[in-house]
Each structure stands twice: as C-alpha cells, then as structure tokens.
C-alpha cells in the first residue's frame, strides 16, 4: 500500500473509535472550561498565562488521545492485521503518527484561538493583546500536538495505554511541579514546562517561547524514535 492509502486507513480507524474522538473533544472542552474559571477569578500578573491556564488540563486529554491511538493496535491482534496489509513497519508507524498529529494540531489550534478569545473577552483590556493571543494560540496547538505524539511514542514502547497514562499523568500533574520548585531551573527543560513557556507573557528562565517548544520537540522526537525502534524490532 502507498503511504497516502495507509494514512487514509489510519485516519478512518481514529475517526471511528469513540474514545479517540471523545479525547479530541475533551482537549477543547477541558482547556476552555478551566480557562474560563481562571480568567473569571482574581487578576493575574501574567494575563497570557491566565488566558491559557486550561492547557494544563487539556494536555491530559491530548496525552490520552496519543496513547490510546497507538495502544489500541496492541490489543486483539490488530497490529498483526495491520502489518499483514502494510509489511513496511516504518511506513505504518509514520502513517499512524501522522494520523495522530494532524487532527490533534487542528483541534489544538482551534482550542488556542477560542481560549485566547475567551481570555480577552473575560479580562478585557487586561487580557492578552492580539499578538500575544495569536502567539499563544499557535503555541497551544503545537504544544498539545507534541504532547500527544510524546504519549504515542511511549505507548509504542510500553505497548500499553494504561502504563503510558500511569507514567505521564502523575508526571504532568505532580512530579513536574515538585521538581520545578526544587531544581533551580533544571525543570524548565522538562517537556511540559519547556513547552508551556510559550503560554507566558514573560519568563525568567533560560528558555524562550520557541526554544522551549524546541526542547519539547526533542523529547517528543526521542520518544517517537524509541517507539519506531520498538515497532520495528519486536514481534507483533
């Protein structure tokens, strides 16, 4: 099968699995809902961060989307069936990752634009300006996509959505914050903290908005490379 045909087949699979569609919807709903709660509260010294506060919760759904999209192929012999149609494992994995990235990026960008607009609406002149809002919306889309792909790579290594979520969700909700308070700036290079710098108006650390996303991209690339090696070398 050609790559476009494999990609089309993987997209149909993602589109028809309800948990995956629900995860994409949850990215938008969770991000916007928690942003509304934060933006309607006391004034924040960083209006851009306040406007995109909900991304910290929306990323959980993005991680679930990436992990589930890959791990579902390791249940019930689905991977053996897929590889019987596409013997080239690299082509299959590339199509799988592309089928995860494209809808996640689209949902992430829409989420970012809605979130930026909501922050401006609720905060008025104290909210992010147009340039900040557009930067935040683009950063939101890219960041959520990178986190979904990071989870996808880990799921290919662990071959379990449960194990992947059991590793990543506590890390995102707890470990990163604890390390951040004790690490004297080292935690800025963790994938979630680095990527979310783009959602701050100012940042006192060593990284900037786009270099932070680049660090997250390196973490994601490492996870995807490990996942690709696992798919290529291990039995289906």
């Amino acid at each position: 099968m050609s790559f476009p045909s494999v990609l089309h087949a993987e997209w149909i699979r993602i589109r028809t699995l309800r948990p995956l569609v629900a995860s994409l919807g949850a990215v938008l709903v969770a991000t916007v809902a928690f942003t509304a709660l934060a933006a309607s509260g006391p004034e924040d010294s960083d209006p851009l961060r306040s406007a995109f506060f909900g991304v910290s919760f929306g990323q959980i759904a993005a991680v679930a989307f990436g992990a589930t999209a890959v791990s579902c192929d390791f249940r019930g012999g689905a991977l053996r069936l897929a590889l019987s149609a596409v013997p080239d494992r690299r082509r299959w994995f590339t199509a799988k990752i592309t089928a995860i990235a494209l809808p996640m990026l689209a949902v992430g960008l829409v989420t970012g634009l809605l979130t930026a607009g909501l922050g401006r609406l609720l905060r008025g002149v104290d909210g992010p300006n147009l340039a900040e809002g557009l930067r935040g919306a683009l950063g939101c889309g890219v960041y959520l996509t990178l986190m979904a792909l990071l989870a996808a790579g880990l799921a290919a290594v662990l071959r379990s959505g449960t194990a992947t979520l059991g590793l990543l969700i506590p890390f995102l909700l707890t470990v990163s914050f604890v390390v951040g308070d004790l690490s004297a700036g080292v935690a800025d290079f963790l994938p979630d903290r680095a990527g979310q710098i783009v959602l701050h108006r100012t940042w006192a650390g060593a990284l900037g908005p786009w270099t932070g996303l680049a660090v997250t991209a390196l973490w994601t690339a490492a996870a995807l490379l490990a996942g690709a090696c696992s798919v290529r070398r291990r039995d289906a």
Side-chain angles (χ1 to χ4, degrees):
M1 295 177 67
S2 65
F3 180 78
S5 299
V6 181
L7 177 59
H8 180 66
E10 290 300 325
W11 163 240
I12 291 176
R13 180 169 173 79
I14 286 176
R15 188 184 64 189
T16 53
L17 287 175
R18 291 183 181 179
L20 297 179
V21 176
S23 294
L24 285 174
V27 171
L28 191 152
V29 172
T31 302
V32 172
F34 280 99
T35 289
L37 290 174
S40 59
E43 185 175 344
D44 196 303
S45 59
D46 190 333
L48 185 61
R49 176 55 187 159
S50 177
F52 286 93
F53 175 80
V55 173
S56 296
F57 299 90
Q59 69 177 335
I60 303 301
V63 164
F65 173 70
T68 305
V70 172
S71 64
C72 66
D73 284 295
F74 294 101
R75 297 195 300 265
L79 182 58
R80 287 192 296 273
L81 182 61
L83 293 179
S84 66
V86 190
D88 188 335
R89 297 188 178 203
R90 289 175 296 182
R91 180 180 300 175
W92 172 81
F93 190 68
T94 302
K96 171 68 74 174
I97 294 306
T98 305
I100 292 170
L102 293 180
M104 188 68 257
L105 180 60
V107 170
L109 291 174
V110 171
T111 299
L113 290 171
L114 289 176
T115 302
L118 181 63
R120 180 68 177 179
L121 177 65
L122 295 178
R123 291 291 188 184
V125 295
D126 294 324
N129 58 40
L130 179 60
E132 290 174 338
L134 290 176
R135 187 192 83 183
L138 176 60
C140 175
V142 174
Y143 172 72
L144 291 173
T145 302
L146 290 174
M147 294 305 291
L149 294 178
L150 175 65
L154 287 177
V157 174
L158 300 176
R159 297 196 165 199
S160 168
T162 302
T164 302
L165 296 179
L167 176 67
L168 282 179
I169 291 180
F171 176 82
L172 294 174
L173 294 181
T174 306
V175 176
S176 183
F177 293 100
V178 173
V179 173
D181 293 336
L182 303 174
S183 66
V186 175
D188 288 353
F189 291 87
L190 294 176
D192 58 322
R193 290 175 68 92
Q196 290 191 44
I197 293 174
V198 74
L199 306 178
H200 290 257
R201 173 177 283 180
T202 58
W203 188 262
L207 299 174
W210 307 115
T211 52
L213 279 176
V215 168
T216 304
L218 289 175
W219 281 93
T220 298
L224 291 176
L225 179 60
C229 291
S230 178
V231 167
R232 184 167 60 89
R233 295 178 179 178
R234 295 169 65 182
D235 292 337

